């Protein structure tokens, strides 16, 4: 009994929903249409509603007006699922009073081949014409301001789209998704907005697209996965907003013309465009290149990045395996992580002076890179593994203003034979030159105070190290792990005793003065000339000298200055109470020379 009652309730509710309407009338084309009243006062209006028990067939004309109970109603809407599944419907003429086509209104009308949307329509609902597999051509009129998600999804016979919706502000995802037969796309010259996911994974037959000057915005994924697209003319001089992944996955794209007023190439804009070949010239209007913008564009051979570009996003040119030449403009301030990672044909790169930061793995895996000119005098941040596994790298020029060589930055660069660390460098990070197997000669500049663990680890062919620093830099037990301990270590005049007495340096058995015995420091007797006490220090560190001290800096093991003061006297009292416990290097300026001493804060 309960089961029977449930069945009856289901039949009443859903049967009633399927056939619910206020009245019906026969239209001029002979079909019976069903209406719901929208307004019972002037102007009297109705919408065409659904009626699954009477599937409409043939050619349909939706009237402008309909009479019920001696009242003339204007037909202004085609309602929710009004003709859904009417597979016998072949054509529809919509009157000029209709302003809205509802959700799923003509969904799955397989036999529908002709549809003219009048200029009165402002709203096209979600999936309204989806799976209308017979429609060949569609025009979106200027009047439309809102198009719902998937409105023409899987219209597999649709070959021509005339998109003239100049005032369209809201559009759903997948508007023409799965329109596999599309060959012609006409974007009207007054169109201002191309919606998100406009042709998402649609046709492999559409080969060319022109973006007109009127377009000011293109939504994310608008042409994503249009695998047949060969040419894009991006001439939208007023386009200020371009969404992510706009042309991502256009695997047949060979020609790209970027308009001269485009200011931003967005995230993943051309990623996976593997047929994009030859030289890519980015116009002078572009200021930024987004993350993964040209990811996996393996056919590109050369890129010129103009001086207008300030920032290149992460992974922007990653896996551009055919890229042999890169010119980076002099205005770029940062290169993010993995930007040129695995550009395996790249042979040379110059980092311009404008660069202030380089992200992790920016050039990692550039296996044919032979020369790096690292001249970024203002670069204060270099990420880890930047040139890791650049196995062909033989020439390395580190700019004279670089202060920090970060962790694993040149790790696994097995082609490097010699390295000169400039005098500007203070800190050499962990694993910085790990596994540089061919490395034989190292020169370490005068300012290096800290060399971290495994910085030169697994470099078994090192023959000599020439250190310009008279006071031994801080190292740890494995800084030179797997490096022979009988190599020659050259130190400045009078510094052999200091190195032989210093922990971990004293493991090397062949420490000797540099043959030319040239020191960058003024020779002096440190014991009588300069004193630091107490050492270790807890609250204050006293420094006295027989000659005037001009300035003092205290540097931590990361090479960061944590204390600085001007003195202009022969003694100074430094308040170190706020410093963390550990080992520090004190740099003391005396008569134009610099003396470095180590102290312990406890």
């Amino acid at each position: 009994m309960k089961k029977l009652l449930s069945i009856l309730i289901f039949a009443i509710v859903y049967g009633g929903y399927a056939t619910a309407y206020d009245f019906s009338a026969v239209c001029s084309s002979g079909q019976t249409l069903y209406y719901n009243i929208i307004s019972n006062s002037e102007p009297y209006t109705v919408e065409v509603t659904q009626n699954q028990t009477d599937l409409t067939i043939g050619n349909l004309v939706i009237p402008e007006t309909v009479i019920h109970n001696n009242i003339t109603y204007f037909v202004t809407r085609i309602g929710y699922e009004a003709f859904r599944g009417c597979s016998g419907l072949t054509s529809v003429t919509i009157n000029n009073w209709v302003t809205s086509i509802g959700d799923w209104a003509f969904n799955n009308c397989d036999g529908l081949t002709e549809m003219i949307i009048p200029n009165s329509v402002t709203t096209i609902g979600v999936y309204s014409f989806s799976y209308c597999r017979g429609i060949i051509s569609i025009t979106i009129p200027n009047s439309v301001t809102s198009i719902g998600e998937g409105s023409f999804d899987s219209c597999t016979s649709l070959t021509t789209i005339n998109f003239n919706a100049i005032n369209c502000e809201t559009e759903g995802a997948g508007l023409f998704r799965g329109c596999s037969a599309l060959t012609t796309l006409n974007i009207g010259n007054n169109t201002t907005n191309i919606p998100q996911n406009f042709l998402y994974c649609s046709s492999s037959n559409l080969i060319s697209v022109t973006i007109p000057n009127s377009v000011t915005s293109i939504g994310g994924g608008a042409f994503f996965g249009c695998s047949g697209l060969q040419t894009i003319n991006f001439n939208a001089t007023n386009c200020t907003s371009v969404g992510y992944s706009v042309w991502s996955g256009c695997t047949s794209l060979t020609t790209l013309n970027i308009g001269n007023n485009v200011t931003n190439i967005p995230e993943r804009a051309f990623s996976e465009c593997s047929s994009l070949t030859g030289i890519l010239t980015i116009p002078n209007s572009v200021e930024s290149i987004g993350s993964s913008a040209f990811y996996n564009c393996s056919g590109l051979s050369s890129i010129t990045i103009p001086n207008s570009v300030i920032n290149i996003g992460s992974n922007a040119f990653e896996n551009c395996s055919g890229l042999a030449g890169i010119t980076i403009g002099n205005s770029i301030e940062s290169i993010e992580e993995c930007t040129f990672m695995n550009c395996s044909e790249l042979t040379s790169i110059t980092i311009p002076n404008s660069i202030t930061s380089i992200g992790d793995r920016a050039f990692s895996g550039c296996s044919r890179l032979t020369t790096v000119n690292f001249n970024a005098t203002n670069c204060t941040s270099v990420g880890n593994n930047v040139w890791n596994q650049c196995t062909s790298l033989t020439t390395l020029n580190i700019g004279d203003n670089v202060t920090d060589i970060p962790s694993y930055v040149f790790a696994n660069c097995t082609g490097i034979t010699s390295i000169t660390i400039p005098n500007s460098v203070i800190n050499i990070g962990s694993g910085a030159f790990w596994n540089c197997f061919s490395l034989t000669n190292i020169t370490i500049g005068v300012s290096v105070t800290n060399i971290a663990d495994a910085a030169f680890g697994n470099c078994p062919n090192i023959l000599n190290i020439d250190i310009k620093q008279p006071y031994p830099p801080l190292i740890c037990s494995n800084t030179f792990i797997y490096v022979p301990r009988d190599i020659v270590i050259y130190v400045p005049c009078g510094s052999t005793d200091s190195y032989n007495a210093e922990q971990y340096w004293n493991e090397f058995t062949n420490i000797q003065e540099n043959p030319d015995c040239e020191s960058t420091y003024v020779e002096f007797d440190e014991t009588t000339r300069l004193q630091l006490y107490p050492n270790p220090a807890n609250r204050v560190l006293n420094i006295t000298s027989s000659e005037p001290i001009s300035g003092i800096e205290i540097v931590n093991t990361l090479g960061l200055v944590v204390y600085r003061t001007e003195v202009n006297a022969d003694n100074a009292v430094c308040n170190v109470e706020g410093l963390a416990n550990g080992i520090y290097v004190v740099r003391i300026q005396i008569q134009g020379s610099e003396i470095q001493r180590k102290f312990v804060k406890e």
Side-chain angles (χ1 to χ4, degrees):
M1 183 67 182
K2 289 183 178 179
K3 183 175 181 181
L4 178 60
L5 182 61
S6 298
I7 293 172
L8 289 172
I9 292 172
F10 180 88
I12 293 169
V13 171
Y14 287 92
Y17 175 77
T19 59
Y21 58 91
D22 291 331
F23 66 92
S24 63
V26 177
C27 62
S28 62
S29 54
Q31 296 93 342
T32 299
L33 299 183
Y34 300 83
Y35 300 95
N36 278 330
I37 296 171
I38 300 172
S39 173
N40 259 324
S41 59
E42 292 185 352
Y44 300 99
T45 58
V46 294
E47 70 172 7
V48 181
T49 190
Q50 64 183 144
N51 184 44
Q52 302 293 352
T53 61
D54 185 11
L55 298 181
T56 304
I57 61 174
N59 300 318
L60 171 66
V61 176
I62 296 176
E64 292 185 358
T65 59
V66 63
I67 298 174
H68 175 63
N69 290 339
N70 295 321
I71 297 175
T72 299
Y73 292 90
F74 291 95
V75 180
T76 60
R77 292 199 317 223
I78 299 173
Y80 172 77
E81 293 188 349
F83 300 99
R84 184 175 187 179
C86 294
S87 56
L89 196 61
T90 56
S91 71
V92 176
T93 301
I94 301 174
N95 73 66
N96 287 322
W97 286 95
V98 171
T99 61
S100 174
I101 299 173
D103 298 347
W104 305 86
F106 294 94
N107 167 258
N108 212 25
C109 291
D110 278 349
L112 189 62
T113 59
E114 184 179 356
M115 168 62 68
I116 298 174
I117 301 174
N119 284 322
S120 58
V121 172
T122 60
T123 302
I124 299 175
V126 300
Y127 297 99
S128 49
F129 296 95
S130 60
Y131 292 91
C132 290
R133 296 182 177 91
I135 293 180
I136 297 172
S137 175
I138 197 73
T139 297
I140 309 297
N142 296 350
S143 57
V144 173
T145 60
S146 176
I147 306 177
E149 177 180 353
S151 296
F152 299 89
D153 186 0
S154 299
C155 291
T156 53
S157 296
L158 187 63
T159 60
T160 303
I161 298 171
N162 296 305
F163 188 70
N164 299 318
I166 62 174
N167 297 310
C168 196
E169 296 178 354
T170 59
E171 310 83 14
L175 190 57
F176 295 98
R177 176 173 49 213
C179 295
S180 54
L182 186 65
T183 59
T184 304
L185 171 64
N186 299 314
I187 301 175
N189 287 329
N190 288 331
T191 301
T192 58
N193 178 43
I194 296 175
Q196 181 180 3
N197 297 327
F198 183 56
L199 295 178
Y200 186 90
C201 288
S202 58
S203 175
S204 60
N205 300 314
L206 184 67
I207 62 173
S208 178
V209 167
T210 296
I211 311 298
N213 290 344
S214 58
V215 170
T216 59
S217 66
I218 304 176
F223 300 91
F224 180 94
C226 292
S227 57
L229 196 61
Q230 298 176 15
T231 303
I232 297 171
N233 296 305
F234 188 27
N235 300 322
T237 57
N238 297 310
C239 188
T240 56
S241 174
V242 181
Y244 65 91
S245 300
V246 173
W247 289 283
S248 179
C250 294
T251 53
S252 297
L253 184 65
T254 58
T255 304
L256 172 61
N257 299 314
I258 301 175
N260 288 328
N261 280 6
V262 174
T263 59
N264 174 48
I265 297 176
E267 177 183 350
R268 301 192 69 85
F270 301 98
S271 66
E272 308 289 351
C273 292
S274 53
S275 297
L276 192 61
T277 59
I279 299 172
L280 175 65
T281 300
I282 296 171
N284 290 327
S285 57
V286 172
E287 296 176 358
S288 65
I289 300 172
S291 299
S292 300
F294 295 91
Y295 174 84
N296 214 23
C297 290
S298 54
L300 286 177
S301 61
S302 178
I303 296 172
T304 299
I305 301 171
N307 291 336
S308 59
V309 175
I310 297 172
N311 180 64
I312 304 176
S314 61
N315 311 87
F317 297 95
E318 182 181 352
N319 289 344
C320 291
S321 55
L323 195 60
I326 301 172
T327 300
I328 300 177
N330 289 324
S331 297
I332 293 177
E333 296 176 357
S334 64
I335 298 175
E336 304 298 331
E337 63 180 24
C338 304
T339 298
F340 297 99
M341 184 175 179
N342 295 329
C343 291
S344 54
E345 291 294 319
L346 188 64
T347 59
S348 177
I349 190 70
T350 296
I351 309 299
N353 293 343
S354 58
I355 295 290
T356 60
S357 67
I358 304 176
D360 294 351
R361 302 183 301 281
F363 297 90
S364 177
C366 294
S367 56
R368 296 192 182 182
L369 188 65
T370 60
T371 304
V372 171
N373 296 307
F374 188 27
N375 300 323
T377 58
N378 297 311
C379 190
T380 57
S381 174
V382 180
N384 299 330
N385 299 283
V386 170
W387 286 282
N388 192 340
Q389 295 187 352
C390 293
T391 53
S392 298
L393 187 62
T394 57
T395 304
L396 176 59
N397 301 314
I398 300 175
D400 289 337
N401 281 3
V402 175
T403 59
D404 183 78
I405 297 178
S407 299
Y408 296 95
V409 65
F410 295 105
N412 299 302
C413 293
T414 54
I416 294 178
T417 58
S418 66
I419 296 169
T420 297
I421 308 298
N423 291 333
S424 58
V425 171
I426 298 170
N427 178 65
I428 301 175
S430 301
F433 298 94
W434 168 263
N435 203 33
C436 289
F437 195 83
S438 300
L439 187 59
T440 59
N441 303 294
I442 303 171
T443 299
I444 298 177
V446 71
S447 297
V448 173
T449 58
N450 179 66
I451 308 175
D453 59 298
F456 294 95
N458 205 34
C459 298
N461 293 308
I462 292 176
L463 298 177
N464 61 76
I465 303 174
D466 185 359
I467 304 176
K468 305 300 184 183
Q469 167 64 273
Y471 194 86
L474 297 174
I475 64 174
C476 57
S477 60
N478 62 351
T479 295
F480 294 94
I481 190 170
Y482 306 129
V483 174
R485 290 304 187 259
D486 60 351
I487 65 172
V488 178
I489 296 184
Y490 295 113
V491 298
C493 300
S495 297
T496 53
D497 289 344
S498 295
Y499 277 83
N500 282 319
E502 186 73 15
Q503 187 180 21
Y504 306 125
W505 284 109
N506 58 16
E507 295 177 4
F508 291 94
T509 61
N510 194 4
I511 297 175
Q512 54 185 272
E513 289 185 351
N514 194 293
D516 58 12
C517 203
E518 290 182 0
S519 173
T520 57
Y521 287 70
V522 176
E523 294 188 31
F524 60 90
D525 181 353
E526 285 193 24
T527 303
T528 59
R529 182 179 177 188
L530 185 69
Q531 292 184 351
L532 278 71
Y533 62 91
N535 193 1
N538 183 288
R539 298 180 62 187
V540 295
L541 177 66
N542 297 288
I543 302 174
T544 62
S545 172
S546 60
E547 298 178 14
I549 301 169
S550 59
I552 296 171
E553 289 182 341
I554 299 178
V555 181
N556 66 15
T557 57
L558 297 177
L560 301 176
V561 176
V562 294
Y563 180 92
R564 180 184 286 116
T565 185
E566 294 182 1
V567 181
N568 296 322
D570 59 6
N571 64 85
V573 178
C574 302
N575 184 353
V576 296
E577 187 174 8
L579 300 183
N581 292 347
I583 299 173
Y584 293 85
V585 172
V586 184
R587 299 196 297 219
I588 306 152
Q589 303 294 327
I590 297 177
Q591 290 190 344
S593 64
E594 181 180 271
I595 302 169
Q596 297 194 22
R597 299 291 294 273
K598 182 171 68 174
F599 94 95
V600 177
K601 167 64 169 57
E602 62 177 18

